[in-house]
Amino acid sequence: MLTDLGKIIDPYDHFGIVRNLDGTVTRYLNFPKVEASPVASHGEPVVSKDLTLNPKNKTRVRIYMPTSKLCSSNDDDTRIPIIIYFAGSGWFLLIWDTNIVHSQCSALTQEVHAIVVNVDYRLAPENRLPVQYEDAMDAVLWVREQALDPNGEQWIREYGDISRCYLHGCSNGGNMAFVTALEATRKELEPLRIAGSIMNQPLFSGMERTNSEMQSCDDPVLPLCALDMFWELALPEGEDRDIWYCNPMVEGPHTSAISKLCRCLVIGFTEDPTMDRLQEFVAMLVNHRVPIEAQFNYTGFHGIDMVDPTRANAIVEMAKEFINKP
């Protein structure tokens, strides 16, 4: 892509990937990984463990638990909320068990005092949409199964409050939180209840350009060509960016379910190329009478919480306030 400044941006090179002839990609951008720590040591406030979600699809979850809850007295039967978390990967980055996501989930667990279920969903382009939404719903159903099964996963079964489940995602993970919340309105999940959705810079697009997108052609973090590449890698062959889960503003099978959504928190930053779409998205939720809170910051870019600990902590505090609000 040639920007107004005359600089050619290769979106694949920008994110360290190379397309292969068989439709897969080779990923050269490697983030440091962190192993789960199921046993607390050295006063660590959070413990974690990896479990299989769907063996057929080779998906996993990493569960995070506040150490203080495990160490509480036996007469403390207070259950804590469950956050089902979808990390931002642009649909294609290997990020589930990296130090960035591990730190985000640990902070959520500690500050909100909640169980966090971090979902290892399948990646594009090897697995195109809508399989990521299927993996997300697998996680919701898995949490319900563990809570109700006498032999289910101990942390969820003994400490989790499945009537207070929250969907939380960043970037494309925020998109997944929205679509999963819609799908949940069509399923019999009781006694599990989706109490709310937290969408941090949810990723949407469309065929008609917005002003904020047009101004991002040479954006150093997320140039417009890279944003298009995200969807080029993820959408089913033959679909364009006006399919409803990419552009929720269009009429589609989702429209009738929007008004059934529970509380939503939408977080955005004005330097994000998708900012105009986020504002349209919030207005759409308001028009459908969805209980909505919007937190838009005047400074910050897409994915800023992945590189700025101060902003990451601020987003955790927003989630904490949202979840703990009566």
Side-chain angles (χ1 to χ4, degrees), residues 78-128:
T78 305
R79 291 183 173 269
I80 58 178
I82 299 172
I83 301 171
I84 302 174
Y85 187 78
F86 312 111
S89 69
W91 301 116
F92 64 91
L93 289 173
L94 293 165
I95 201 167
W96 169 73
D97 57 352
T98 61
N99 61 347
I100 297 172
V101 175
H102 189 80
S103 295
Q104 291 173 336
C105 291
S106 295
L108 273 172
T109 302
Q110 181 180 359
E111 296 301 322
V112 180
H113 199 62
I115 297 170
V116 173
V117 179
N118 174 22
V119 182
D120 176 29
Y121 53 87
R122 287 170 285 178
L123 297 177
E126 294 84 0
N127 303 277
R128 290 179 175 268

Side-chain angles (χ1 to χ4, degrees), residues 269-313:
F269 296 90
T270 54
E271 295 172 34
D272 186 338
T274 69
M275 186 61 184
D276 287 349
R277 294 196 185 276
L278 295 188
Q279 292 176 326
E280 292 176 353
F281 176 66
V282 168
M284 179 191 71
L285 295 179
V286 170
N287 289 338
H288 283 266
R289 301 186 182 279
V290 176
I292 172 76
E293 298 178 31
Q295 297 276 359
F296 290 149
N297 195 300
Y298 286 107
T299 58
F301 48 83
H302 194 87
I304 189 173
D305 50 309
M306 296 182 69
V307 297
D308 185 336
T310 300
R311 295 301 175 87
N313 292 336

Side-chain angles (χ1 to χ4, degrees), residues 10-17 29 92-93 221-223 226 229-230:
D10 181 343
Y12 292 89
D13 182 65
H14 191 74
F15 281 92
I17 62 173
L29 188 60
F92 64 91
L93 289 173
V221 177
L222 187 60
M229 180 194 70
F230 288 2

Side-chain angles (χ1 to χ4, degrees), residues 244-262:
W244 71 268
Y245 45 75
C246 178
N247 183 5
M249 305 305 297
V250 302
E251 288 290 324
H254 68 297
T255 307
S256 61
I258 295 175
S259 61
K260 301 175 185 178
L261 292 175
C262 292

Side-chain angles (χ1 to χ4, degrees), residues 38-40 46-49 65-74 80 113 154-155 158-159:
V39 179
V46 173
V47 289
S48 58
K49 57 184 171 183
M65 180 76 181
T67 306
S68 59
K69 186 62 179 176
L70 288 175
C71 298
S72 60
S73 61
N74 292 332
I80 58 178
H113 199 62
Q154 180 188 11
W155 294 352
E158 295 187 3
Y159 303 105

